[in-house]
Amino acid sequence: QVQLVESGGRLVQAGGSLRLSCSASGPTYNVRIMAWFRQAPGKEREFVAVLSWFGHNTGYADSVKGRFTISRENAKNILYLQMTELNPEDTAVYYCAAAQRNVGLGREHGDYDYWGQGTQVTVSS
């Protein structure tokens, strides 16, 4: 089983920046894509960004395009989410996810096989 552990979430002021990390362990050689999702209080978990693990393909939700960047450090099995121009609507628990199935650049919760425990990001106005 692949294990995912997120870190980096904290309180930040609107307009600020933050970088989240997701450390992956276990049989990561089977992973095809990794992604970030987020869930705000009272809302459903939503897609944020996706990255093909052995390629360079990425995808972003419209709400974060141009502000967030997903990247990876393969040698250390770490996935990142660089977030800039943060606003209060970005407040949520951010989850890292990994998929072993061939789902393209999946944007659905059900496309993913493994999930981290989440890290809280709070943006104050």
Side-chain angles (χ1 to χ4, degrees), residues 52-68:
S52 58
W53 197 241
F54 293 105
H56 300 280
N57 295 324
T58 59
Y60 295 91
D62 288 343
S63 59
V64 307
K65 198 174 295 182
R67 299 189 298 123
F68 291 9

Side-chain angles (χ1 to χ4, degrees), residues 8-82:
R10 61 176 176 86
L11 174 65
V12 63
Q13 288 189 334
S17 299
L18 197 61
R19 188 178 78 164
L20 304 182
S21 300
C22 173
S23 179
S25 61
T28 57
Y29 54 84
N30 286 331
V31 170
R32 291 178 180 266
I33 59 172
M34 292 190 71
W36 290 95
F37 284 73
R38 66 186 181 185
Q39 188 166 17
K43 295 187 177 181
E44 294 186 353
R45 192 170 300 188
E46 66 173 1
F47 166 79
V48 174
V50 61
L51 172 73
S52 58
W53 197 241
F54 293 105
H56 300 280
N57 295 324
T58 59
Y60 295 91
D62 288 343
S63 59
V64 307
K65 198 174 295 182
R67 299 189 298 123
F68 291 9
T69 302
I70 189 171
S71 63
R72 72 197 189 283
E73 187 172 354
N74 277 8
K76 295 184 178 180
N77 286 337
I78 299 176
L79 181 75
Y80 298 106
L81 184 68
Q82 179 67 49

